[in-house]
Amino acid sequence: MNLKVNGEEYLHTGDDRLPSLLRELDMRDHKVALVINEQVVPMTDIARHRLREGDRVDILTLAGGG
Amino acid sequence: MSDLLILGEHSFASRLLLGTGKFSDVATMVDAVQRSGSGLVTASIRRFNRENRDDDLFGPLSRLPDLFLLPNTSGAMNAREAVLAARIGRELTGHGLVKLEIHPNPHHLMPDPIETFTAARELAADGFSVLPYMPADPVLAKRLEEIGCAAVMPLGSAIGSGQGLATAHLLRLIIENSNIPVIVDAGLRAPSEAAAAMEMGCDAVLVNSAVAAAANPGAMAEAFAQAVRAGRRAFQAGLMGRSDTAQATSPLTAFLAR
């Protein structure tokens, strides 16, 4: 499935569930927020969220800032 | 006697907020945070960098005890982007305190009052405790209070400029008229300026560059902590009035007969 992850084209080879993408990206040890097509996916919905071809997935965390 | 800073549902013993940007490395930042005694530190929201996982501040900051992370909406160019950033911040931190900042012009980084007001209204209605970074404008401060902001954060001077309390006369007007906490944010350079803001009656100050760009950030964090405490205590103690003429402290009666 072709996705756009953090602004870059990404070919996802796993199934269409979000945890599969997070495993593939090795994100399980990091606390992140997920935004798909500019909508925040609540933590409680991640397990059942289904990805679709062309989805824009943004993975966000905290960085330094004032 | 407890003298807590109350922001929405949260209360903080320290009246110093510290930013986490511009530090040379994570260890220096963590040392400054700890020595500042601050219970509330700001952070920005960024895309996760998979190639450089050490950029992630969430890990090191979330391991510090009794520390509240305050996400900001820096990078948002308008109200729509800021609202999305605030929702991301809430998802990351698990609470609804957000520092709302919308400053589209990188030259002066002055907050956009119209977009800030629009986003603040939407976020407050959505249950956020909104702390808007704003120009030192008493009218806007009142309007932001009326729509339910948890505090206002007027600027002392431009972000990172080190110009201190250039807006002092306007900050006084904001403080006099405000029923919500006033947090002076941006532009401070020296601890004496933080003390002056607190003596004026502001409820807290936020500094970042002044600590991060100091020759010794950890020591400067301590200095700001002491200055904020001194300024607060002086405000509570009540400063003496000013006089155009001298007012003798010793009796003026002659001690030797002439």
Side-chain angles (χ1 to χ4, degrees):
Chain A
M1 176 187 307
N2 289 295
L3 303 171
K4 195 163 245 185
V5 176
N6 280 357
E8 292 177 9
E9 301 294 338
Y10 183 82
L11 179 63
H12 173 52
T13 54
D15 67 45
D16 67 351
R17 291 183 192 263
L18 205 36
S20 151
L21 175 67
L22 294 177
R23 269 196 303 279
E24 198 171 278
L25 296 173
D26 194 20
M27 295 300 308
R28 284 166 300 173
D29 292 342
H30 295 273
K31 183 155 184 195
V32 293
L34 293 164
V35 175
I36 297 183
N37 303 329
E38 298 200 4
Q39 296 290 323
V40 177
V41 181
M43 294 298 166
T44 47
D45 292 354
I46 286 177
R48 59 168 176 253
H49 187 94
R50 303 236 175 193
L51 292 161
R52 291 186 193 155
E53 179 74 22
D55 272 349
R56 284 170 292 133
V57 181
D58 283 294
I59 304 169
L60 299 123
T61 187
L62 294 178
Chain B
M1 186 188 75
S2 71
D3 176 36
L4 300 175
L5 171 67
I6 312 257
L7 299 172
E9 301 168 348
H10 308 281
S11 56
F12 302 92
S14 169
R15 291 174 178 272
L16 174 62
L17 283 67
L18 189 66
T20 57
K22 289 197 193 172
F23 285 90
S24 55
D25 55 75
V26 172
T28 305
M29 182 272 289
V30 168
D31 178 57
V33 167
Q34 289 179 306
R35 291 166 73 178
S36 74
S38 176
L40 188 57
V41 300
T42 57
S44 63
I45 295 161
R46 288 293 174 269
R47 280 173 166 166
F48 188 86
N49 184 347
R50 288 192 294 130
E51 272 65 55
N52 192 357
R53 289 169 183 256
D54 292 341
D55 279 0
D56 181 12
L57 276 193
F58 205 73
L61 284 175
S62 55
R63 280 192 287 276
L64 296 178
D66 304 323
L67 193 66
F68 226 74
L69 297 180
L70 176 62
N72 70 34
T73 64
S74 173
M77 304 297 274
N78 52 46
R80 186 184 62 81
E81 291 178 6
V83 167
L84 177 60
R87 296 204 166 115
I88 294 165
R90 181 167 63 180
E91 201 56 37
L92 280 168
T93 61
H95 64 73
L97 263 184
V98 62
K99 179 185 165 188
L100 174 63
E101 51 178 308
I102 306 174
H103 39 67
N105 186 325
H107 180 57
H108 52 59
L109 296 177
M110 285 293 143
D112 181 327
I114 296 164
E115 296 295 322
T116 299
F117 180 82
T118 305
R121 185 166 50 190
E122 183 171 345
L123 290 169
D126 193 18
F128 281 87
S129 294
V130 186
L131 316 177
Y133 173 59
M134 55 168 289
D137 175 349
V139 178
L140 180 61
K142 207 64 196 169
R143 296 289 297 270
L144 288 166
E145 177 183 322
E146 286 164 4
I147 58 168
C149 286
V152 286
M153 304 183 81
L155 58 89
S157 49
I159 292 173
S161 70
Q163 297 288 324
L165 297 172
T167 57
H169 62 299
L170 295 167
L171 293 173
R172 279 194 196 91
L173 289 176
I174 292 172
I175 292 163
E176 274 170 25
N177 289 300
S178 185
N179 297 309
I180 55 175
V182 177
I183 303 171
V184 171
D185 182 6
L188 301 190
R189 175 173 173 269
S192 56
E193 294 158 357
M198 297 304 294
E199 287 167 6
M200 206 186 278
C202 88
D203 297 276
V205 300
L206 192 160
V207 292
N208 186 343
S209 303
V211 170
N216 183 337
M220 190 60 85
E222 287 178 3
F224 267 97
Q226 291 167 5
V228 167
R229 277 199 300 274
R232 177 66 181 175
R233 204 76 188 108
F235 171 71
Q236 291 171 320
L239 301 175
M240 65 167 275
R242 282 200 173 95
S243 164
D244 288 337
T245 56
Q247 306 290 327
T249 48
S250 303
L252 289 179
T253 47
F255 76 101
L256 286 177
R258 290 206 170 86

